[in-house]
Amino acid sequence: AAIILFITGPLLGAFIAGIGSVIVAASIATSGDVITNGQQVSLSSNEERTLYVPEDAIVSTCTVTAPGGKEVPVSRSTGSHISNGDYESALTFKTAKAGNYRVSCDDLSDTDTVLVGAGLTFCPFMWSLMAGICAGAVCWIIAAVLLIRRHRALAAQTQAG
């Protein structure tokens, strides 16, 4: 039983981390707001957001306008793909204050949709990774305890016999 736990511990940990990561990615993909190009989206203050454009679209520039009419600084995104509607990340920006932000991408028509959502960062995935590591570690600890008990039982049997 101990050998099985030594082998299945890391497999169980990887399985738990994988399932957790899929759940986190799905949560991120469905947590954004889908708007049409040129429309406004209501955002809270001090949020970092990513603009996801349709995967088949070639977008060179997008602008984000704050509630006061001032253009928000944007930076290119790393190219993360979200399979929810086949979106691809285009750029990231940070909101200074709460309100309606207008999103416009030059190469999209007014009927094309844009997903404004959270970016894919390591933090949300950390918990599923830690759960996987902990599950694997628990299996190894149980296996070690079983091996130590078995070794002691065999030693006691040898001394008695």
Side-chain angles (χ1 to χ4, degrees):
I3 300 301
I4 293 171
L5 285 173
F6 269 120
I7 294 169
T8 60
L11 295 174
L12 176 66
F15 179 74
I16 290 172
I19 294 295
S21 295
V22 167
I23 292 170
V24 168
S27 172
I28 289 172
T30 58
S31 67
D33 297 305
V34 177
I35 60 170
T36 55
N37 188 34
Q39 297 298 309
Q40 293 183 346
V41 60
S42 180
L43 299 173
S44 301
S45 64
N46 204 23
E47 284 186 322
E48 187 159 332
R49 289 295 187 201
T50 300
L51 284 184
Y52 297 93
V53 297
E55 196 171 52
D56 58 349
I58 299 171
V59 176
S60 58
T61 54
C62 292
T63 56
V64 178
T65 309
K70 186 178 178 185
E71 198 169 301
V72 177
V74 296
S75 60
R76 278 273 168 219
S77 185
T78 58
S80 305
H81 293 276
I82 290 188
S83 61
N84 178 21
D86 295 320
Y87 289 100
E88 183 175 350
S89 62
L91 57 90
T92 59
F93 66 95
K94 189 168 186 167
T95 61
K97 60 181 178 178
N100 291 327
Y101 286 76
R102 182 174 305 281
V103 176
S104 299
C105 295
D106 292 343
D107 300 320
L108 297 178
S109 73
D110 290 342
T111 58
D112 287 332
T113 57
V114 177
L115 173 67
V116 182
L120 294 176
T121 60
F122 177 71
C123 275
F125 294 95
M126 181 181 65
W127 295 109
S128 60
L129 180 64
M130 290 304 296
I133 290 171
C134 289
V138 166
C139 287
W140 278 14
I141 291 169
I142 293 170
V145 168
L146 290 173
L147 286 174
I148 291 169
R149 289 178 67 191
R150 182 172 180 205
H151 178 72
R152 287 183 181 168
L154 286 174
Q157 187 179 17
T158 304
Q159 277 184 336

